Amino acid sequence: MNKQVPSVSVTYAQTGASTQSNELGMRAMQERAYEKRGEQYLLIKSPPASGKSRALMFIALDKLHNQGLKQALVVVPEKSIGASFNDEPLSTFGFWTDWRVAPKWNLCNSPGTDGGKVKSVTAFLESDDRILVCTHATFRFAVEKLGVEAFDDRLIAVDEFHHVSASEDSILGKQLNDFIARDRVHVVAMTGSYFRGDAVPILLPGNEAKFDTITYTYYEQLNGYKYLKTLDIGYFFYSGSYANDILKVLDPSEKTIIHIPSVNSRESTKDKHKEVEHIIEALGDWQGSDSETGFQLVKTPEGKILKIADLVDDEAAKRDKVSTALKDSAQKNNRDHVDIIIALGMAKEGFDWIWCEHALTVGYRASLTEIVQIIGRATRDAKGKSRARFTNLIAEPDAAETAVTEAVNDTLKAIAASLLMEQVLAPRFNFLPKTPQSGPVDGFDYGEGGYDPNKTNLGFNDKDGQFQIEIKGLAEPKSKEAKRICQEDLTDVITAFVQDKPTLERGLFDGDHAGGETLPEELTQVRMGKIVGAKFPKLDAEDQEAVRQHAVAALNLTQKAKEIALSSSQDQQTSGNTALIDGVRKFALDVRELDIDLIDRINPFGEAYAILAKTMSEESLKQIGAIISAKKVQLSPDEARDLARRAVKFKQERGRLPDITSSDAWEKKMAEGVAYLARMKQEADSA
């Protein structure tokens, strides 16, 4: 096992706000969602364990009793998640009625196939009962058979909404578009991760614009916990078989979920049962299995008996016994019920084990959503649990591998996922242009000395988990949609950016930090500009530029904060885990006047490369660089046009075109774009 990659650590205030209820029994996120209960289309973006299921109950009951809707259909991705919508005595906690689902209408609990349950959906629609729960698959079959018009004047609530996509291959996505086009239903969509690992959008832009969005950030959720104070995210490179060295990252004293790699992945040994056996052998001596729970009993060298739940076993009876024991509600608050869970495809979405302190995942995961869901297993609040962590074990590319290019791609994607998770877990950034009229904003703390009109100011609102940062030269969004994107959807833009393979390759391995030629502005201005233009084509050029600047600022400030935080922790000879938030504050103090040009001159991938250089072998690093270099292309016509557009803006500001002999690398690059287009025109004229 190679060295540990220093993990990003986010420290929270333990305010207890996200777990406290109002007079109606609603927690903070639920109250925020309920305020929008009158909207026809609602999208709730909120982390695992924030109470989305109950938020839906409140909203659905109001729509049924006060908004004239006939019925509510709750659709979930798999049967096990249907339990989240079992009866709830909401009136006991202050609400004006209870959530009741007749047993025959919770189709997640009934036997039979999804297709066969269509008859039950038909019977429900013809009945006077109000609430039905079924799987996505059952709902798809029902819509295919009955048509969208059969669901008029009803609420369709889609849980784990990230399973939908705008792709033509997504039946549920197409049906949702049909429902929106007909405009006769209400829709509540809920997700803890509003993006897909395959980078396919969930909703078409026109349909997404019809939804009112309730966003409750990870920072708000975790900051409002009572017990959990710190969340660490780290990844580790290993060579050989992961099972041989897993104890280098697995602490048997921590409550842990281990997700072993898919048998089709390159990290797998292709024998999942032997992998589980190796992990158990590494932990200690096997003592047999518990007759009631089916848990494996293992005695550690220190003499402790570990209870290990094996969810990888293919023998259905054994696996079901273990699964049932894990779901035992009587044991939910018993910290000693189980110590380690080993899983492959289970124990992710919807799995609730509040005591989990460590989510350890072996191998690259193709879906960013899957990573978010796995991290969510460790971010439940529980008494005595002050720290949680997520660790991703990644196989280091090996020159001897036949699939070395695939290995490099997996490494790049894992780094992209890490960058995104840092963004998701950080507080929200609210950027303001620095002008002579700028002043303090109510509710924000500007630190010792307060607001200073002569410098860049950084305010922090701990209650809302939001930074307010002034940036000189920042473009402000003008349209309602651009303002919404800058306030709520910058993570979506950043997701598209870090998932863009050419951007990631050039940013990591061809930047000046790696001795390459790619300038930061080629990434922050050209590549990000292209992505924003493709993602939001209906925005005018000014609004696209405003969105681009806000997205780059959010990404680069997080990366600079990480760099400062990790550097500070190393200077102090600590563990390498330092609060990301302190890094943001320190960066703002170090830079007296923050301007957008300075932010554009930061390579967003520089710190990620620095970490790789410390932890990956020099041979592997050179090998990846060589593979990226071999694929490098010269300036494309699209990039040249973008550079030329920026050259026009340069001329407007400075009264001259960029000079191709300039010592400023970015000015020279813009001039090269102009020259490239001139050559293209000459060649076309000659032809």
Side-chain angles (χ1 to χ4, degrees):
M1 184 77 65
N2 289 334
K3 296 180 197 171
Q4 171 181 348
V5 174
S7 63
V8 169
S9 180
V10 188
T11 303
Y12 303 99
Q14 297 175 299
T15 66
S18 62
T19 57
Q20 294 172 355
S21 300
N22 66 8
E23 65 279 3
L24 292 176
M26 299 176 189
R27 285 151 53 187
M29 184 281 288
Q30 296 159 352
E31 183 177 4
R32 188 179 299 177
Y34 193 66
E35 288 172 357
K36 295 279 189 81
R37 63 191 180 278
E39 300 297 333
Q40 182 177 359
Y41 300 112
L42 274 178
L43 173 59
I44 301 174
K45 303 179 185 179
S46 187
S50 58
K52 291 187 290 296
S53 302
R54 191 165 289 198
L56 169 67
M57 295 177 189
F58 293 128
I59 293 168
L61 289 168
D62 188 85
K63 287 185 178 293
L64 292 173
H65 289 273
N66 300 322
Q67 298 179 40
L69 293 190
K70 296 176 182 177
Q71 295 173 313
L73 293 91
V74 181
V75 297
V76 299
E78 57 184 71
K79 289 180 180 181
S80 62
I81 298 177
S84 301
F85 298 95
N86 287 340
D87 291 357
E88 284 290 348
L90 302 178
S91 60
T92 303
F93 308 100
F95 198 59
W96 43 266
T97 190
D98 293 326
W99 175 263
R100 299 288 182 214
V101 183
K104 67 177 179 178
W105 299 134
N106 191 334
L107 304 186
C108 293
N109 296 334
S110 65
T113 64
D114 289 310
K117 294 178 184 179
V118 171
K119 289 181 180 178
S120 297
V121 176
T122 305
F124 170 76
L125 295 175
E126 294 171 351
S127 75
D128 294 327
D129 289 323
R130 310 301 299 274
I131 301 168
L132 175 137
V133 180
C134 69
T135 63
H136 287 183
T138 296
F139 183 72
R140 288 198 309 268
F141 286 125
V143 176
E144 285 180 334
K145 181 177 179 181
L146 303 173
V148 294
E149 60 277 2
F151 298 84
D152 285 355
D153 305 318
R154 292 170 171 83
L155 169 65
I156 310 298
V158 185
D159 193 23
E160 308 296 358
F161 190 56
H162 49 268
H163 286 269
V164 177
S165 90
S167 164
E168 293 181 1
D169 297 331
S170 172
I171 297 172
L172 187 55
K174 182 180 181 302
Q175 290 172 343
L176 187 65
N177 287 327
D178 292 340
F179 277 119
I180 294 173
R182 184 170 172 80
D183 205 29
R184 288 289 303 275
V185 297
H186 286 216
V187 177
V188 176
M190 301 173 291
T191 179
S193 45
Y194 190 74
F195 44 78
R196 294 171 57 91
D198 52 14
V200 175
I202 293 177
L203 284 172
L204 295 171
N207 285 339
E208 183 166 354
K210 295 181 181 180
F211 279 76
D212 268 73
T213 303
I214 298 98
T215 302
Y216 193 67
T217 66
Y218 273 76
Y219 186 87
E220 286 179 283
Q221 167 73 359
L222 299 177
N223 198 55
Y225 275 168
K226 186 176 180 180
Y227 304 108
L228 185 64
K229 184 174 179 63
T230 305
L231 175 64
D232 299 328
I233 293 182
Y235 53 95
F236 299 76
F237 290 104
Y238 69 90
S239 54
S241 170
Y242 75 87
N244 294 334
D245 292 320
I246 197 164
L247 284 188
K248 299 241 180 107
V249 290
L250 171 60
D251 181 350
S253 69
E254 291 180 332
K255 302 294 184 181
T256 303
I257 297 179
I258 304 170
H259 282 104
I260 68 171
S262 161
V263 291
N264 296 319
S265 70
R266 67 186 184 88
E267 292 90 356
S268 174
T269 63
K270 311 308 176 189
D271 190 332
K272 59 185 181 180
H273 302 297
K274 281 192 176 178
E275 290 177 30
V276 174
E277 290 170 4
H278 286 163
I279 292 170
I280 289 175
E281 287 171 5
L283 288 166
D285 296 325
W286 184 67
Q287 305 291 301
S289 60
D290 185 277
S291 58
E292 290 186 17
T293 63
F295 297 162
Q296 304 298 313
L297 304 176
V298 176
K299 188 176 183 180
T300 68
E302 294 75 29
K304 179 183 178 181
I305 300 295
L306 295 175
K307 301 170 190 172
I308 301 174
D310 176 8
L311 291 174
V312 180
D313 199 317
D314 281 333
E315 194 173 324
K318 287 184 179 179
R319 190 179 64 242
D320 290 347
K321 184 178 186 178
V322 170
S323 182
T324 300
L326 290 173
K327 294 175 185 174
D328 185 353
S329 58
Q331 299 292 342
K332 182 178 180 181
N333 295 318
N334 179 8
R335 188 181 189 279
D336 297 324
H337 182 52
V338 66
D339 298 297
I340 294 172
I341 297 171
I342 305 175
L344 202 160
M346 301 174 71
K348 296 176 186 174
E349 195 171 73
F351 182 80
D352 190 9
W353 182 32
I354 63 172
W355 303 108
C356 178
E357 299 165 286
H358 187 192
L360 173 56
T361 300
V362 181
Y364 161 68
R365 291 302 192 263
S367 168
L368 294 171
T369 291
E370 183 179 359
I371 293 170
V372 171
Q373 291 293 342
I374 290 172
I375 292 174
R377 301 319 100 202
T379 56
R380 263 63 173 173
D381 202 28
K383 188 174 182 179
K385 175 179 159 182
S386 62
R387 194 172 203 117
R389 61 183 175 128
F390 166 73
T391 305
N392 193 185
L393 282 176
I394 305 165
E396 185 171 303
D398 183 351
E401 281 188 271
T402 54
V404 67
T405 303
E406 179 189 345
V408 169
N409 287 340
D410 285 355
T411 301
L412 291 173
K413 290 171 185 174
I415 293 166
S418 176
L419 289 168
L420 179 63
M421 286 314 305
E422 291 161 11
Q423 207 66 41
V424 166
L425 292 165
R428 190 187 302 184
F429 293 106
N430 178 31
F431 299 115
L432 300 174
K434 176 69 173 174
T435 67
Q437 291 75 41
S438 296
V441 177
D442 289 343
F444 286 87
D445 176 13
Y446 294 92
E448 190 176 344
Y451 186 90
D452 183 347
N454 298 313
K455 72 175 187 68
T456 290
N457 285 277
L458 180 145
F460 186 63
N461 184 323
D462 197 55
K463 180 181 177 183
D464 295 332
Q466 186 174 160
F467 278 113
Q468 179 252 302
I469 302 174
E470 296 174 336
I471 301 176
K472 186 178 179 181
L474 181 73
E476 288 190 275
K478 300 293 191 294
S479 69
K480 181 181 177 182
E481 175 64 4
K483 289 176 181 176
R484 183 194 69 77
I485 294 164
C486 289
Q487 290 168 0
E488 298 177 357
D489 281 348
L490 289 183
T491 299
D492 295 344
V493 180
I494 292 168
T495 299
F497 180 74
V498 300
Q499 284 185 313
D500 182 62
K501 196 173 175 185
T503 298
L504 187 59
E505 290 176 344
R506 290 169 62 179
L508 266 174
F509 294 100
D510 193 46
D512 54 1
H513 53 259
E517 300 174 354
T518 297
L519 301 172
E521 293 93 336
E522 291 182 71
L523 305 168
T524 58
Q525 293 195 23
V526 178
R527 299 299 302 181
M528 181 68 89
K530 185 178 179 181
I531 285 166
V532 169
K535 195 170 177 63
F536 306 109
K538 292 186 178 179
L539 295 183
D540 65 24
E542 288 186 7
D543 272 343
Q544 286 184 0
E545 176 62 8
V547 170
R548 182 200 71 77
Q549 289 185 12
H550 280 71
V552 167
L555 177 58
N556 272 345
L557 283 176
T558 301
Q559 292 307 303
K560 290 302 290 184
K562 179 175 72 172
E563 177 187 345
I564 290 168
L566 293 175
S567 172
S568 173
S569 68
Q570 288 160 6
D571 290 344
Q572 297 165 17
Q573 295 185 330
T574 59
S575 65
N577 297 327
T578 306
L580 193 64
I581 296 157
D582 292 339
V584 176
R585 289 193 175 106
K586 191 171 188 307
F587 179 64
L589 290 172
D590 289 347
V591 181
R592 183 152 187 89
E593 187 170 77
L594 190 62
D595 65 69
I596 192 63
D597 290 338
L598 170 64
I599 292 170
D600 273 339
R601 289 196 295 271
I602 298 171
N603 183 320
F605 305 102
E607 181 57 21
Y609 182 87
I611 290 173
L612 280 179
K614 293 174 184 175
T615 54
M616 188 179 278
S617 69
E618 186 177 352
E619 182 184 350
S620 292
L621 204 59
K622 284 181 179 177
Q623 179 188 7
I624 294 177
I627 290 171
I628 301 302
S629 239
K631 297 193 294 182
K632 190 171 164 186
V633 295
Q634 298 304 312
L635 204 60
S636 71
D638 281 346
E639 288 173 330
R641 291 186 191 98
D642 192 276
L643 288 167
R645 282 193 293 270
R646 296 184 186 282
V648 171
K649 185 179 178 183
F650 181 96
K651 183 179 180 182
Q652 291 169 347
E653 293 172 348
R654 307 195 188 187
R656 63 176 179 82
L657 281 170
D659 185 352
I660 203 163
T661 63
S662 172
S663 59
D664 181 273
W666 179 233
E667 179 180 346
K668 183 178 178 181
K669 194 74 182 180
M670 286 187 283
E672 288 174 359
V674 174
Y676 183 99
L677 289 183
R679 287 197 304 274
M680 281 179 61
K681 186 176 185 305
Q682 285 178 347
E683 290 168 5
D685 289 345
S686 298

